[in-house]
Amino acid sequence: MKDSTLCIHAGYKPKNGEGGQMPIIQSTTFRYDTTQDIADLFDLKSSGYFYSRLGNPTCGFVEERLAKLEGGVGAMLTSSGQAASFCTVLTIAKAGDHILCSSSVYGGTFNLFAVTFKRMGIEVEFFDQKDSNDKIEAKIRDNTKAIFGETIANPALTVFDIERFAQIAHRHNIPLVIDNTFATPVLCKPISFGADIVIHSTTKYLDGHAVQVGGAIIDSGNFDWAKSGKFPEFTEPDDSYHGLIYSETFGKAAFIVKARVQIMRDIGICQSPQAAFYINLGLQTLPLRIRQHSENAMKVASYLSTHPKVEKVIYPGLKDDECYELGKKYLKDGLCSGVMSVILKGGRSAGASFIDHVKLASPEVHVADIKTCLLHPATATHRQLNDEQLLACGITPGLVRLSVGLEDLDDILEDLKQALDAV
Ligand SMILES: *Cc1c(COP(=O)(O)O)cnc(C)c1O
């Protein structure tokens, strides 16, 4: 089935006489008849829900829908997008390991990778995604466990050459992890270009209405952990499950099962059923919304790019954007989401002044919302980064991140025009 159908039907099929809408199973626990039934669940010999930290039916419906949309074998919801990248890395890497990550990533990801993982003994090295294969491959070591990038980077708005990096990763027997938050599975399906694991901040377009923080991890099932030879935690016995071997017992689903029964069990950054229900509501209209967000944004980007107070608009839908060709390759119908970066002439103070003068658009630490909103990264999300790190993330001091909403286009344009007049 196609995306618009999957978004409404995949994962939940009501039986005769059941509610048409996905039920919220607001329960921490699940009842079984015998101690043997429960023992089999704990030994991972049978599948079923037993405690909502490890899984819940409402979350399960949404997980199956996301797995179908991304073309994976399984998915797991997490409490946030940050939790999704945290769980993903901990499932495949441990102290002493090394990860390669594009420098064009979300500020929160940058902090998690560069600061927190470092304290935990996992070293993350950043690369410029424009670098040649040779230069990138020279950074891959024996202990390198993954390559990480964002389909459309937040807020650099670069488009990741998924196919090229999948080939690099696979030449070295390591998985490619893609954060597909901005593109959503409607605009890009990273697995179809060779990505092994896809993660989301569902807080953005998947929810789409700014009501629920959440995350998700989807396993393509395509990475062969045993054949790679680099992942002993997948191929050697796990003492916390009586010596179970993930790659043997769970085959193609080894990664997503390990993420759940080992990392989620121990860390507990799970999604609640109520939250999953909100994500479900958002998902149902995702194809309609992301198309309209993208169409509005394309017109806003064209308008702003010719405005005399604007130095540059970074949006992969613009013909002179450095990622225009990559956008055409990876993003469906050339739709590039609602998010763009606007660099004002006059640097930091002009950026701040623009935000202070908008009336309809909301200054918010959020993007991918039904409402038009905007933010000055240098003084907000990225304020922990020094100038050098900012520039490495593709952010200049006058850059404003603009997320175009679903209001009438004329009203959005008029608001931006009056705010620019006042700068
Ligand atoms: C927002 C965001 C995250 C973090 O997600 P949270 O849900 O805020 O934890 C990760 N990656 C990208 C691309 C994001 O935009």
Side-chain angles (χ1 to χ4, degrees), residues 80-83 106 109 150 154 179 181-182 201 203-204 213-214 367:
S80 67
Q82 287 298 104
Y106 174 65
T109 304
E150 291 178 8
N154 175 7
D179 181 336
T181 297
F182 273 14
S201 166
T203 318
K204 312 295 164 52
V213 172
V367 286

Side-chain angles (χ1 to χ4, degrees), residues 227-246:
K227 203 168 134 222
S228 153
K230 285 193 162 180
F231 297 90
E233 288 195 340
F234 283 78
T235 55
E236 289 171 11
D238 179 349
D239 291 340
S240 69
Y241 284 107
H242 309 309
L244 172 134
I245 296 173
Y246 291 100

